[in-house]
Amino acid sequence: DKEVADATSPDALAKKVSPRRAAAAARGRRRGRRDADAPLFSLLLLPSFAPRQVVVCGYGDLGRAVCDSLEEHVPRVAFDRNPTRVTSGLLDGAPVIYGDGASAETLRAVGVQEPRALVVTYTSPSRRLDATTRLRASFPTSALYVRAGSQAEADELRGVGASAVIDETTETAVLFGMLLGGNSSAESDRIRSVLSFELKLRRPPMMTADATP
């Protein structure tokens, strides 16, 4: 019937397999309680990721593009609280989790202990600021890259801990300047900044002294 169909729809399942729900269910099972969602967890197991991942917060157009732009050898996982986007990504084979990517608890629930890099792609300035603040407090040594809508916002994000900020307004102006023959020196500096940002994400993890090839 409709109630069963709604409960087992892709959007509903995406929410039920969130890190927070999975952790709560596991705690309940350890205490001998039967979880109403146990059949779902037996069929849809929450994946576990290596400790050092590129974490993408938001799987909208930009988040999806960031994930797609990374080389296959770069481990990545995206988080989004829109079940439709999560379901779409999962159907495409992308590593997308339903949940708050700016929550250290959520990241650690899927095995990400110390992110190699964090990328905040939210469209809302208030969400970007909140996520940047929380992520920097939780992961003080991880690279933290954030999207911004203006130079003023970029300055604010750097002030709360962003390692680098991509200011969409400035970047768009620079690209138009290139097409129209603008200031080559300023363009070169900005292009080097953007390329540096991309290379940091693409660079494979450093081998440690005891690592095997």
Side-chain angles (χ1 to χ4, degrees), residues 177-199:
M178 290 175 61
L179 294 172
L180 299 170
N183 187 312
S184 59
S185 175
E187 290 160 10
S188 297
D189 290 343
R190 181 60 64 180
I191 291 168
R192 277 195 295 271
S193 173
V194 175
L195 289 177
S196 174
F197 169 84
E198 293 180 350
L199 288 172

Side-chain angles (χ1 to χ4, degrees), residues 20 34 37 72 106 112 120 128 153 163 165 174 184 210-211:
R20 189 179 297 275
R34 185 178 184 278
D37 291 326
E72 287 190 7
T106 298
V112 182
V120 178
R128 292 193 289 250
E153 184 190 358
S163 305
V165 180
V174 167
S184 59
D210 59 349

